[in-house]
Amino acid sequence: MSVSCENIPVSIVKRDALVYAAELDINNLPVSVCQSLIRSSFHAQLGVLTGAHITVKGKYFSVEQKLKFTVSRRPLPHRTLYLDITAQNINSVETSLNHLSTSITSEMQKQASTSKENPVNAPNVSVNFAHTPIMTPAVHLGTAPASVVAPVPVTDKLNVGINGAPPSFNLILKLLGDNNVNLNYIESQSGTEISIRGIGSGFLDPVTKMEISEPLHFYIVAKDVTSLNNAKGLLKNLLEATKSDLRNHIAQLAPPKVAAPWRNSFKPF
């Protein structure tokens, strides 16, 4: 069964016995629209509404960057920016795509209104049901004005690397801070969005309803490489401070050392 709309063809496929998936190419959308679509808070909201899990994958390439590779007849080193949408049923994926289509339309209209141009009607998402490997055609929706310096939306992970913390230390709370104060500060200073994921994080994959089977890590969404590096630097400082707190905590838990009883080394003849 297939539903055909205009301009953005997307295939929904069954990746395995439990997961349906779709890949939405967003690289050719205006930069401001891309930035709104890659926010982890936006993905979390969609997850609650639809039950689908959204991950940002690929890398953003501006028109100028793609042209350089085309002229030199070289392939792009990475796949262009796209959203990977997964869920346990087709309806959740389709509903998520519909919400994404609405968001794209809204953001395109906001951009047109801000630039005092005529509102732009963003194309709807075309949903084609299939059980074959995903082959998403390129999307041509126009480009950002040449005067705009296009930032590169990027995502990355930073492993926590702290093992053996006792339950009384509450590692996750130490990393987050009271009322999430630590991550809120780092996000405000770096212009990124950060979450803690992996084993022991409490973060559940919306599809499997289980923690991601990866070591505990920070998941970072940044508008560009500079913001990403700034966030990593601040997170590393947080990790060093947390390790120091853990050493002090363990030292306080250790029982006091009791001196061995004195023994007379005198031996009778």
Side-chain angles (χ1 to χ4, degrees):
M1 170 179 147
S2 65
V3 179
S4 181
C5 299
E6 297 179 358
N7 296 338
I8 310 183
V10 180
S11 295
I12 297 180
V13 301
K14 196 169 185 180
R15 284 191 179 162
D16 56 42
L18 297 176
V19 177
Y20 289 86
E23 297 178 357
L24 178 63
D25 192 330
I26 62 173
N27 191 90
N28 290 344
L29 292 170
V31 172
S32 61
V33 180
C34 285
Q35 290 176 329
S36 69
L37 294 176
I38 66 169
R39 292 181 293 111
S40 58
S41 57
F42 173 59
H43 300 166
Q45 291 172 356
L46 276 186
V48 172
L49 289 172
T50 68
H53 180 53
I54 301 175
T55 306
V56 181
K57 294 188 176 182
K59 181 177 179 181
Y60 180 85
F61 289 92
S62 67
V63 176
E64 293 78 9
Q65 289 171 326
K66 289 192 289 186
L67 182 59
K68 287 180 181 179
F69 283 97
T70 301
V71 170
S72 62
R73 297 183 179 181
R74 292 180 297 156
L76 292 174
H78 306 281
R79 178 173 169 179
T80 53
L81 192 68
Y82 69 98
L83 299 179
D84 184 70
I85 306 141
T86 56
Q88 290 182 316
N89 59 76
I90 288 179
N91 289 339
S92 292
V93 177
E94 184 178 8
T95 303
S96 183
L97 287 170
N98 289 336
H99 280 285
L100 286 167
S101 178
T102 300
S103 297
I104 292 171
T105 300
S106 175
E107 291 298 327
M108 295 279 279
Q109 289 174 344
K110 285 180 185 178
Q111 185 184 64
S113 176
T114 301
S115 60
K116 297 182 180 180
E117 298 175 352
N118 293 326
V120 177
N121 292 322
N124 292 324
V125 174
S126 169
V127 181
N128 297 305
F129 298 96
H131 295 280
T132 56
I134 295 175
M135 298 293 290
T136 306
V139 180
H140 301 285
L141 295 176
T143 58
S147 59
V148 176
V149 178
V152 181
V154 290
T155 63
D156 202 358
K157 301 175 184 178
L158 178 65
N159 284 339
V160 171
I162 298 178
N163 301 313
S168 58
F169 184 69
N170 200 337
L171 176 60
I172 299 300
L173 180 60
K174 289 288 185 180
L175 295 173
L176 293 173
D178 293 333
N179 298 318
N180 210 40
V181 64
N182 291 342
L183 293 194
N184 285 345
Y185 172 77
I186 294 174
E187 288 176 334
S188 67
Q189 293 298 306
S190 61
T192 59
E193 293 190 11
I194 305 169
S195 56
I196 301 179
R197 303 184 181 185
I199 299 172
S201 66
F203 178 88
L204 302 182
D205 186 310
V207 176
T208 64
K209 307 300 181 185
M210 299 174 63
E211 288 183 340
I212 300 172
S213 57
E214 298 178 8
L216 193 65
H217 63 272
F218 295 104
Y219 183 78
I220 312 165
V221 179
K223 61 184 178 181
D224 53 39
V225 174
T226 300
S227 296
L228 177 67
N229 290 336
N230 288 341
K232 281 187 172 181
L234 292 169
L235 287 170
K236 288 177 181 178
N237 291 341
L238 172 62
L239 289 174
E240 288 303 315
T242 304
K243 289 175 182 177
S244 177
D245 289 345
L246 176 59
R247 287 193 292 269
N248 293 334
H249 182 79
I250 292 176
Q252 292 174 0
L253 293 179
K257 294 182 178 180
V258 179
W262 181 83
R263 293 180 181 178
N264 191 336
S265 58
F266 174 76
K267 294 181 180 181
F269 294 101

